[in-house]
Amino acid sequence: DVKVTQSSRYLVKRTGEKVFLECVQDMDHENMFWYRQDPGLGLRLIYFSYDVKMKEKGDIPEGYSVSREKKERFSLILESASTNQTSMYLCASRSTLGGGFFGSGTQLSVL
Amino acid sequence: QQQVKQSPQSLIVQKGGISIINCAYENTAFDYFPWYQQFPGKGPALLIAIRPDVSEKKEGRFTISFNKSAKQFSLHIMDSQPGDSATYFCAASMNRDDKIIFGKGTRLHILP
């Protein structure tokens, strides 16, 4: 069974904290993605990576960074969390030309 | 040009009826069109996908219709069941960069 695992289901952080969201896939996929999902706005792409140590900005990269040191792991970093980053964060992976597989999401609340 | 426009935002269908969700795109470089189903508290799950070289793809009760000239595609759910109640997202991607661009979603409710 294919699996994309996100490290936390719920997370509560304070404004200004550094936040790490971890994602691991077991399908040996080349491509990994981070999206945020907000009501009425759908899924918006933050960053994606098509290879180890490679990253590309998505539509809303401001305030975020990413790290991909190993093929199976893709981390999203909020350098200084702000209240407008309260959201559901979804990680996905896909092989080239294939469908995307998503994790269950991390609901992040920044107070 | 990168957008995928999805309608309606919400849809209510009687059990046994046909649910239809529509999407439109502008970028003719898109070459892969998946649909995702999302239940509350879960991540989206790939439901069915189509490439522009075919006009229709059917998997069980789910059918994608694709109109390349109109740059539109739609999801049809036949014999809709209460268990189909979920949010549905259409999406598109290009071979060139593999990003998946999503529509804003349709919240589907099937009345028992």
Side-chain angles (χ1 to χ4, degrees), chain B residues 24-60:
Chain B
Y25 64 98
E26 287 295 322
N27 192 338
T28 55
F30 287 141
D31 62 0
Y32 179 71
F33 301 89
W35 284 88
Y36 291 84
Q37 179 188 55
Q38 185 180 30
F39 293 107
K42 301 286 188 182
L46 180 65
L47 188 62
I48 186 172
I50 197 168
R51 298 199 184 274
D53 52 344
V54 296
S55 60
E56 187 175 280
K57 184 173 181 180
K58 185 175 181 179
E59 289 184 4

Side-chain angles (χ1 to χ4, degrees), chain A residues 9 35 37 94 97 99-100, chain B residues 32 36 38 41 51 95 98 100:
Chain A
R9 185 70 184 90
Y35 292 86
Q37 183 175 15
R94 69 181 294 210
L97 300 180
Chain B
Y32 179 71
Y36 291 84
Q38 185 180 30
R51 298 199 184 274
N95 179 34
D98 291 326
I100 306 174

Side-chain angles (χ1 to χ4, degrees), chain A residues 1 17 19 33-34 40-41 43 48 73 76-77 85 87 91 94 105 107 111:
Chain A
D1 223 11
E17 278 192 77
V19 182
F33 307 83
W34 276 105
L41 297 178
L43 282 78
F48 68 105
R73 188 180 296 269
L76 180 69
I77 303 154
Q85 292 178 310
S87 185
C91 174
R94 69 181 294 210
Q107 180 63 53
L111 306 177

Side-chain angles (χ1 to χ4, degrees), chain A residues 34-51:
Chain A
W34 276 105
Y35 292 86
R36 63 177 282 177
Q37 183 175 15
D38 301 286
L41 297 178
L43 282 78
R44 294 180 292 165
L45 182 64
I46 305 171
Y47 268 96
F48 68 105
S49 167
Y50 52 87
D51 202 352

